[in-house]
């Protein structure tokens, strides 16, 4: 160890240079001395690793500076707890935010290595399912950008979201192995390790009333959480924050006693059990995972993160009473909601707080974001499972519940129905712990992710809790980082904008509004169109390479990319494509607008209907793409293995963005923002953030159709009868008959009988009910497309007016209104 006095004299390393020659020399040095490869025999992956190590050094300088600064100023830290971080590739993002793109490109170039080729070898970190995980990644980058000292906490899954392969048009799931070539971005922190327990028994200490009693929990099973840190660089590298992901390890790597006694398998069982915990990301979004392993993951990362947070706070301030002044913990959906009970346990059992004092600290520290209203996605755990795995937490949940219900009954005069609805325990059917209610009562702020979603939260899932705590629910409309989703993914548009309006928008996205002045400038429209065309050519080339489908870049590129889910209504899109196909064949004399419909997205492996929707898209694509009567006027391409990196190619190439969820069901959407920012027009329902996008871009620059959330609710309440609606529409009934009779599935004519029967029977997602409105809206889009200059001026106005949807704005609102943190 080093003595304190010697520490003061330790030399600090010189900050690393950004000069291309210095970078090149260091890359060679890393290749030689860190990777042990001669440049002459180095493989592409070796170059990638060497490059990352050299960039990482530049990041570390800023990282340490940021950490020191927070420490010195005693600033409040934000902890973002999320079971998902859908990051994608990190390297280009880091280099670009460091402002070193040209230098690194030149350095590699001087070594005969192509920057784009090398960075495209980096696997996506796909530690998330969809919107919620991608939002967490955008937030991490924005927190660093707007100078909020923050840690993200999550799980370092060995396997992220599965790789999707198409086999005869069906989705096949393959394990994804993003760590196969190592991960040069992360640092293992063996010293940041915490014990995590499960099961066992609880002993009371002393004779206090149950709810203030300190207890000793003796878990039956124990493991260790070990941290891995990844630096997250903000724009211009002003600040570098930390993403800390936990991995699970056994307490003893092998049970030596058992091993020596000859029980070799038994000795390894413990170790396997621990390592299984962090092995896979649950691939289901919007459907409850249900299984015990999921609850274990949730508790594991919540407990590790809280122990880490308390340790850091105690080390700095010596007293947990000041926790809410220095720490804000954001719960990303209910996945970390067990944290509420865990913090109570740590405060009461370990740090000897009384129940009420602990409760006050807890509520002031936590805030919770809700991301979905779908009843099937609201997490709850069977009481017996909860009790078996987390016996101490079960006691605390009961104690919290008693306190809440007592208050609701005695002080607020709640009746029995209201009591039932605010209770932490769902008593209807098998008894379950409601994680949403736990997160709600344990937080001082509960936010929705768009204005509409927040209103619906107040009216539906949380109406009684909102009545009990009327000042807690607030809105924070989602956003996206303009660095990844404009500057990096669309360099052509980025430089066109810079030429036109200068650099201010790079630091203040809302300055994009200066582009409004160019919407009527035909020369600018032409340049905007040329950029779009280049991006479309790039996508068309990719489709030709990967799928052998030839596409015309002058056709309208109409894109729907997102998880496959019935409420997102890919089915509506496909049925409309069939109706259009029929029209093109029946009316060859008309001037049809050439279109390519792109779809991409993954279905939860257990989601039957979603998997059939993928198969249907592929079946329909095969028939339409190969029908000479269509004369290439309509093509369909379902691109396999949708991920962040594919989105970065598809988004800039879109003319039309499909955001067509059943109104009231998409909490926000964030893909909608990415497309509009990159100059696509939206065809969409008044759902989620579409409502606010319309307010910003203006009614003339977006194509809205269909029922409102209110109308959907009303229709459901009054009993929606789809059959007469279907029968009244010739186009719709013909399309459905074609699907149901096997026109697209001659090898198995009944394949889609079930899917179509659902539409006739209940049509829960209002596909039939919205069909006519949607088809009309598509013909309105065609009419707009024909006037090319007017089309581009509309798309320019979209780019110009989307600045507000930067996640920097969202994060500033969280920081000011919820966390009270940051500058
Ligand atoms: C328990 C299983 C489970 C897993 C994930 C249930 C629900 C989820 C998430 C809430 C799914 C999700 O990603 N929600 C999306 O969050 C985005 C960010 O706020 C929104 O833009 C999307 O509308 C919402 O569907």
């Amino acid at each position: 160890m080093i003595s304190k006095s010697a520490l003061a004299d330790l030399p600090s390393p010189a900050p690393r240079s950004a000069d291309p020659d210095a970078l090149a020399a260091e890359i060679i040095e890393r290749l030689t001395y860190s990777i042990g490869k001669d440049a002459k025999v180095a493989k592409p992956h070796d170059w990638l690793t060497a490059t990352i190590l050299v960039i990482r050094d530049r990041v570390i300088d800023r990282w340490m500076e940021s950490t020191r600064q927070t420490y010195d100023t005693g600033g409040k830290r934000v902890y973002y707890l999320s079971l998902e971080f859908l990051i994608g590739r990190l390297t280009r993002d880091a280099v670009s935010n460091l402002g070193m793109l040209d230098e690194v490109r030149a350095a590699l170039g001087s070594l005969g290595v192509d920057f784009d080729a090398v960075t495209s070898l980096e696997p996506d970190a796909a530690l998330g399912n969809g919107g919620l995980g991608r939002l967490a990644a955008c937030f991490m980058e924005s927190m660093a950008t707007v100078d909020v000292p923050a840690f993200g906490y999550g799980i370092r899954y060995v396997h992220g979201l599965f790789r999707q392969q198409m086999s005869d048009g069906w989705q096949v799931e393959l394990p994804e192995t993003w760590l196969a070539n190592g991960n040069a971005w992360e640092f293992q922190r063996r010293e940041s390790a915490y014990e995590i327990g499960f099961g066992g028994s609880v002993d009371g200490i002393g004779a206090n009333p149950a709810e203030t009693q300190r207890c000793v929990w003796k878990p039956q099973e124990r493991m260790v959480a070990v941290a891995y840190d990844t630096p997250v660089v903000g724009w211009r590298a002003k600040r570098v924050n930390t993403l800390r992901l936990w991995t699970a390890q056994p307490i003893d790597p092998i049970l030596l006693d058992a091993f020596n006694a000859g029980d070799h398998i038994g000795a390894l069982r413990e170790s396997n059990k621990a390592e299984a915990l962090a092995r896979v990301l649950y691939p289901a979004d919007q459907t409850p995972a249900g299984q015990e392993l999921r609850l274990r993951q949730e508790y594991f990362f919540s407990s590790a993160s809280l122990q880490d947070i308390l340790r850091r706070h105690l080390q700095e301030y010596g007293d947990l009473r000041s926790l809410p002044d220095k720490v804000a913990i954001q719960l990303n959906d209910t996945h970390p909601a067990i944290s509420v009970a865990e913090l109570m346990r740590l405060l009461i059992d370990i740090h000897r707080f009384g129940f009420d004092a602990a409760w006050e600290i807890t509520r002031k520290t936590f805030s919770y974001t809700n991301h979905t209203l779908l009843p099937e996605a609201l997490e709850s755990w069977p009481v017996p499972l909860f009790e078996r795995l987390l016996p101490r937490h079960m006691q605390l949940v009961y104690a919290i519940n008693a306190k809440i219900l007592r208050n609701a009954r005695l002080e607020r005069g709640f009746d029995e129905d209201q009591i039932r609805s605010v209770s932490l325990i769902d008593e209807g059917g098998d008894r379950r712990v409601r994680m949403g209610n736990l997160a709600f009562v344990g937080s001082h702020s509960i936010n929705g992710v768009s204005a509409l979603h927040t209103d619906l939260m107040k009216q539906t899932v949380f109406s009684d809790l909102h009545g009990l705590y009327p000042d807690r629910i607030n809105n924070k409309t989602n956003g996206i980082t303009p660095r990844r989703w404009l500057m990096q993914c669309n360099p052509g548009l980025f430089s066109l904008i810079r030429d036109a309006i200068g650099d201010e928008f790079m630091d203040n996205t809302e300055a994009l509004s200066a582009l409004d002045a160019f919407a009527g400038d035909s020369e600018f429209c032409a340049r905007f169109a040329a950029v779009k065309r280049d991006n479309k050519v790039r996508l068309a080339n990719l489709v030709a390479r990967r799928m052998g489908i030839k596409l015309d870049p002058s056709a309208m590129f109409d894109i729907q990319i997102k998880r496959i889910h019935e409420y997102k209504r890919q089915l509506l899109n496909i049925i409309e494509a069939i109706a259009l196909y029929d029209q093109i064949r029946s009316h060859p004399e008309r001037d049809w607008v050439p279109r390519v419909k792109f779809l991409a997205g993954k279905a939860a492996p257990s989601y039957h209907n979603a998997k059939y929707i993928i198969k249907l898209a592929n079946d329909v694509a095969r028939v339409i793409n190969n029908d000479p009567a269509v004369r290439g006027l309509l093509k369909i391409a379902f691109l396999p293995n949708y991920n962040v990196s594919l989105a970065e190619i598809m988004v800039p190439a879109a003319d039309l963005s499909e955001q067509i969820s059943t109104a009231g069901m998409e909490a926000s959407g964030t893909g909608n923002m990415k497309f509009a920012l990159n100059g696509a027009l939206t065809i969409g329902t008044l759902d989620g953030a579409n409502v606010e996008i319309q307010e910003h871009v203006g009614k003339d620059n977006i194509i809205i159709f269909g029922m409102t959330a209110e109308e959907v609710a009303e229709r459901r309440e009054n009993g929606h009868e789809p059959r007469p609606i279907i029968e009244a529409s010739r186009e719709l009934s013909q399309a459905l008959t074609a699907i149901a009779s096997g026109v697209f599935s001659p090898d198995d004519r009944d394949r889609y009988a079930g899917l179509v029967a659902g539409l006739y029977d209940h049509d829960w997602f209002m596909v039939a009910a919205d069909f006519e409105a949607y088809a009309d809206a598509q013909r309105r889009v065609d009419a707009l497309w024909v006037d090319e200059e007017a089309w581009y001026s509309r798309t320019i106005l979209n780019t110009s007016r989307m600045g507000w949807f930067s996640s920097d704005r969202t994060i500033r609102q969280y920081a000011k209104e919820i966390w009270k943190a940051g500058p």
Side-chain angles (χ1 to χ4, degrees):
M1 283 302 283
I2 300 174
S3 69
K4 272 239 165 79
S5 56
L7 258 179
D9 301 332
L10 281 180
S12 324
R16 302 292 166 121
S17 153
D19 171 66
D21 291 336
L23 287 165
E26 276 184 55
I27 291 172
I28 293 295
E29 206 172 293
R30 290 309 198 132
L31 207 52
T32 316
Y33 295 108
S34 300
I35 302 170
K37 282 275 177 83
D38 188 323
K40 292 189 191 70
V41 298
K43 294 269 184 305
H45 267 107
D46 300 323
W47 287 104
L48 173 65
T49 305
T51 306
I52 292 175
L53 291 174
V54 170
I55 297 161
R56 206 179 72 169
D57 286 350
R58 273 80 194 154
V59 173
I60 289 173
D61 290 335
R62 316 290 176 105
W63 200 10
M64 293 189 168
E65 176 63 33
S66 303
T67 312
R68 228 180 350 253
Q69 185 215 329
T70 316
Y71 187 87
D72 292 347
T73 57
K76 194 169 185 179
R77 289 198 183 86
V78 173
Y79 295 99
Y80 198 82
L81 268 58
S82 178
L83 216 36
E84 305 193 6
F85 288 93
L86 186 42
I87 298 165
R89 293 180 181 136
L90 269 174
T91 305
R92 180 187 296 265
D93 194 50
V95 176
S96 163
N97 277 2
L98 283 167
M100 290 172 47
L101 265 179
D102 292 341
E103 290 80 358
V104 174
R105 198 182 283 282
L108 282 169
S110 73
L111 301 169
V113 177
D114 179 53
F115 176 78
D116 295 315
V118 164
T119 49
S120 66
L121 291 174
E122 185 184 1
D124 272 34
L127 310 183
N129 275 287
L132 162 139
R134 183 54 233 174
L135 184 75
C138 284
F139 278 9
M140 286 303 297
E141 198 261 5
S142 275
M143 287 190 285
T145 295
V146 308
D147 207 14
V148 172
F151 278 76
Y153 278 115
I155 291 182
R156 180 180 178 272
Y157 302 106
V158 175
H159 301 291
L161 189 60
F162 64 86
R163 195 154 60 80
Q164 177 192 56
Q165 217 178 52
M166 289 301 156
S167 166
D168 188 29
W170 294 99
Q171 166 176 298
V172 176
E173 303 92 25
L174 299 173
E176 173 275 354
T177 53
W178 70 297
L179 295 168
N181 289 297
N183 175 8
W185 277 112
E186 67 185 9
F187 294 85
Q188 192 188 34
R189 306 289 191 203
R190 303 185 75 101
E191 73 288 1
S192 295
Y194 301 93
E195 195 176 304
I196 313 293
F198 293 102
S201 60
V202 179
D203 294 333
I205 303 174
N208 298 332
E211 73 168 38
T212 58
Q213 199 176 27
R214 259 182 79 211
C215 288
V216 176
W217 175 26
K218 295 184 185 141
Q220 182 232 320
E221 195 187 320
R222 296 177 308 150
M223 58 183 73
V224 179
V226 179
Y228 282 75
D229 287 350
T230 301
V232 179
V233 188
W235 174 236
R236 298 198 196 277
K238 228 187 299 174
R239 162 174 286 282
V240 176
N241 282 329
T242 303
L243 175 61
R244 173 160 282 193
L245 300 178
W246 300 104
T247 182
Q249 287 180 9
I251 295 237
D252 306 312
I254 58 166
L255 300 174
L256 256 193
D257 287 348
F259 195 84
N260 291 338
D263 179 10
H264 301 151
I265 304 272
L268 291 170
R269 198 171 297 136
E270 282 299 293
S271 121
N272 288 342
K273 202 163 180 186
E275 276 149 18
L277 192 140
R279 193 127 59 208
V280 285
L281 165 79
Y282 268 87
D285 68 329
Q286 314 283 5
T287 37
Q291 299 86 341
E292 177 173 334
L293 181 62
R294 170 75 178 199
L295 179 55
R296 285 174 176 264
Q297 288 185 337
E298 294 183 353
Y299 177 64
F300 168 81
F301 104 102
S302 296
S303 176
S305 309
L306 285 173
Q307 291 185 59
D308 200 36
I309 293 166
L310 296 193
R311 180 202 46 82
R312 187 172 302 113
H313 184 80
L314 278 174
Q315 199 173 25
E316 253 172 86
Y317 302 102
D319 187 339
L320 291 175
R321 278 175 302 185
S322 59
L323 194 75
D325 304 329
K326 298 294 175 190
V327 166
I329 305 178
Q330 188 70 37
L331 304 173
N332 198 22
D333 217 88
T334 55
H335 316 154
I338 188 64
S339 298
V340 170
E342 174 67 356
L343 181 57
M344 289 294 283
R345 181 186 76 84
L346 293 170
L347 291 175
I348 295 171
D349 293 354
I350 312 290
H351 299 282
R352 299 170 175 252
F353 278 81
F355 186 93
D356 288 334
W359 186 238
E360 168 114 359
I361 292 175
T362 298
R363 262 194 324 96
K364 285 185 171 164
T365 304
F366 285 117
S367 44
Y368 152 57
T369 306
N370 172 280
H371 294 268
T372 181
L373 300 173
L374 294 199
E376 63 269 34
L378 298 176
E379 285 190 299
S380 69
W381 297 104
V383 165
L385 168 65
F386 200 101
E387 199 158 28
R388 173 165 59 75
L389 226 50
L390 301 167
R392 177 57 178 143
H393 300 79
M394 190 71 246
Q395 291 179 341
L396 288 163
V397 166
Y398 283 137
I400 296 166
N401 205 30
K403 186 183 172 78
I404 303 290
L405 298 189
R406 195 179 327 115
N407 168 265
R409 213 181 254 124
L410 300 183
E411 271 155 58
R412 306 296 301 279
F414 268 40
D415 65 25
E416 278 318 299
D417 276 348
Q418 290 170 306
I419 290 290
R420 254 194 296 283
S421 116
V422 300
S423 174
L424 302 188
I425 310 293
D426 181 354
E427 308 273 359
D430 61 335
R431 301 179 70 231
R432 304 178 79 92
V433 184
R434 291 171 169 150
M435 302 310 273
N437 288 24
L438 178 60
F440 193 117
V441 302
S443 299
H444 63 279
S445 158
I446 294 91
N447 75 282
V449 291
S450 72
L452 174 65
H453 167 236
T454 301
D455 276 347
L456 293 172
M457 257 169 77
K458 291 182 186 170
Q459 290 166 30
T460 61
V461 267
F462 292 132
S463 65
D464 286 313
L465 277 166
H466 177 53
L468 193 53
Y469 306 108
D471 56 349
R472 287 197 194 172
I473 296 187
N474 63 92
N475 177 245
K476 297 286 168 282
T477 298
N478 283 166
I480 56 172
T481 166
R483 270 74 62 185
R484 185 178 292 261
W485 296 111
L486 176 61
M487 295 185 194
Q488 293 159 36
C489 75
N490 201 343
L493 183 56
F494 175 51
S495 69
L496 175 63
I497 296 172
R498 272 183 93 172
D499 278 357
I501 63 170
D503 288 355
E504 194 196 335
F505 76 100
M506 291 161 64
D507 296 283
N508 166 21
T509 318
E510 289 182 57
L512 277 173
S513 61
L515 276 179
D516 255 49
F518 291 82
D521 175 336
S522 14
E523 203 214 334
F524 187 81
C525 282
R527 292 172 68 197
F528 200 95
V531 168
K532 184 61 81 180
R533 192 182 163 91
D534 287 348
N535 293 333
K536 289 165 73 173
V537 168
R538 179 168 69 145
L539 176 59
N541 290 341
L542 180 142
V543 170
R545 244 185 359 256
R546 289 197 194 162
M547 308 177 64
I549 301 177
K550 204 170 161 280
L551 301 176
D552 172 9
S554 58
M556 183 197 303
F557 278 19
D558 161 342
I559 306 191
Q560 187 175 24
I561 44 178
K562 49 186 79 246
R563 284 298 287 257
I564 311 295
H565 204 295
E566 287 164 284
Y567 85 82
K568 295 177 188 279
R569 299 200 293 192
Q570 283 93 355
L571 190 53
L572 178 59
N573 189 353
I574 298 166
I575 294 171
E576 200 278 326
I578 295 170
L580 176 60
Y581 167 55
D582 191 45
Q583 291 288 308
I584 292 174
R585 284 168 43 116
S586 318
H587 302 284
E589 75 289 352
R590 288 192 199 155
D591 278 333
W592 295 102
V593 170
R595 260 201 211 229
V596 184
K597 273 188 182 276
F598 295 83
L599 292 116
K602 293 175 181 175
S606 60
Y607 191 167
H608 177 270
N609 279 2
K611 290 182 126 176
Y612 273 77
I613 290 170
I614 293 177
K615 174 65 174 161
L616 177 64
N618 283 309
D619 276 345
V620 171
R622 192 193 56 246
V623 171
I624 294 181
N625 296 350
N626 295 310
D627 186 339
V630 178
R631 294 166 290 137
L633 290 168
L634 177 61
K635 290 242 162 121
I636 300 184
F638 188 101
L639 274 58
N641 201 34
Y642 179 57
N643 60 13
V644 171
S645 291
L646 185 57
E648 288 169 9
I649 297 172
M650 297 184 79
V651 166
D655 296 308
L656 187 66
S657 153
E658 299 268 355
Q659 309 299 338
I660 59 177
S661 51
T662 315
M665 302 194 80
E666 189 72 273
S668 158
T670 47
N672 48 4
M673 302 169 190
K674 292 160 200 165
F675 281 109
L677 181 63
N678 283 276
L681 300 194
T682 304
I683 181 168
T685 46
L686 282 177
D687 199 13
N690 292 354
V691 177
E692 288 152 87
I693 292 177
Q694 167 170 254
E695 283 163 14
H696 279 84
V697 304
K699 283 199 158 74
D700 291 343
N701 304 308
I702 186 169
I703 300 91
I704 295 291
F705 72 93
M707 281 185 280
T708 61
E710 224 168 309
E711 287 163 352
V712 168
E714 205 174 84
R715 190 177 269 270
R716 280 186 182 155
E717 210 150 293
N718 300 335
H720 166 43
E721 278 187 51
R723 184 171 294 272
I725 298 176
I726 297 171
E727 282 163 1
S729 161
R730 217 165 63 96
E731 283 196 300
L732 176 57
S733 42
Q734 282 180 353
L736 294 186
T737 306
I739 299 172
S741 66
V743 168
F744 305 101
S745 54
D747 54 325
D748 175 7
R749 294 195 169 270
D750 291 334
R751 179 174 295 141
Y752 301 114
L755 212 52
V756 174
L759 296 183
Y760 279 94
D761 180 59
H762 48 76
D763 187 27
W764 179 250
F765 300 97
M766 306 278 158
V767 169
D770 267 343
F771 177 82
E772 284 286 325
Y774 178 58
D776 286 350
Q778 288 289 19
R779 301 296 73 81
R780 270 188 279 145
V781 171
D782 286 343
L784 294 178
W785 178 258
V786 176
D787 184 348
E788 201 173 323
E789 196 165 320
W791 177 275
Y792 282 105
S793 78
R794 287 190 168 86
T795 69
I796 292 165
L797 290 176
N798 268 263
T799 301
S800 165
R801 296 171 180 181
M802 283 301 291
W804 186 78
F805 293 90
S806 162
S807 45
D808 297 349
R809 182 269 313 154
T810 314
I811 286 300
R812 285 198 180 95
Q813 292 180 330
Y814 274 87
K816 181 156 178 261
E817 295 160 24
I818 301 177
W819 303 329
K820 323 277 184 227

